[in-house]
Amino acid sequence: MLMQPPQDATSDALLAQILKSLDDDKAEDIVQIDLRGKSAIGDHMVICSGRSSRQVAAISEKLVERIKSAFGLTAKIEGKETGDWVLIDTGDVIVHVFRPEVREFYQLEKMWLPAEAAASRA
């Protein structure tokens, strides 16, 4: 059986894989933010929530595994031990997985979304 080579890791393909993985693992309140032209840290940011520390850690672990399998990329991951806020850096796409209370406290969307979009989320 032939193994398919990893897909090209364009930022849009990576974003699509990340969104599918988060949806598959029942992440909640998924928000994607286009960073192109706003920041050099990446092309996209994705922010989502898990219901518990355990779910936040599981969503993050599965996402990193799927990115490695699909693209051959080793994403950097921070915060998985506590499961309150996990940061996954794939290079072109930055993913934040929060417990709801922690997400509410930091309100990253307000920092990155246009003012009217952030206001409608409040």
Side-chain angles (χ1 to χ4, degrees):
M1 183 166 147
L2 291 174
M3 297 249 326
Q4 288 187 335
Q7 301 174 29
D8 289 333
T10 66
S11 64
D12 290 336
L14 197 51
L15 177 63
Q17 176 71 34
I18 288 167
L19 293 173
K20 181 180 181 331
S21 178
L22 295 174
D23 187 57
D24 288 350
D25 290 334
K26 309 284 189 269
E28 298 177 347
D29 199 15
I30 301 168
V31 175
Q32 66 184 71
I33 302 168
D34 190 338
L35 297 178
R36 294 174 286 199
K38 296 179 189 170
S39 175
I41 64 169
D43 291 343
H44 304 280
M45 181 181 295
V46 177
I47 303 171
C48 67
S49 300
R51 289 182 301 279
S52 65
S53 297
R54 180 176 283 181
Q55 187 189 23
V56 167
I59 288 169
S60 304
E61 282 178 31
K62 292 298 275 180
L63 178 58
V64 169
E65 289 170 18
R66 290 175 180 140
I67 290 168
K68 178 132 178 99
S69 174
F71 299 100
L73 289 175
T74 302
K76 296 180 186 105
I77 185 167
E78 293 184 29
K80 190 180 71 162
E81 299 75 31
T82 58
D84 288 333
W85 174 3
V86 180
L87 170 73
I88 301 145
D89 183 353
T90 69
D92 288 333
V93 182
I94 309 298
V95 182
H96 299 273
V97 185
F98 286 101
R99 274 191 315 103
E101 309 79 49
V102 179
R103 181 177 181 172
E104 179 62 30
F105 180 80
Y106 287 102
Q107 298 185 6
L108 283 187
E109 291 96 329
K110 285 190 176 181
M111 193 180 325
W112 291 100
L113 283 173
E116 58 279 357
S120 71
R121 293 193 48 76

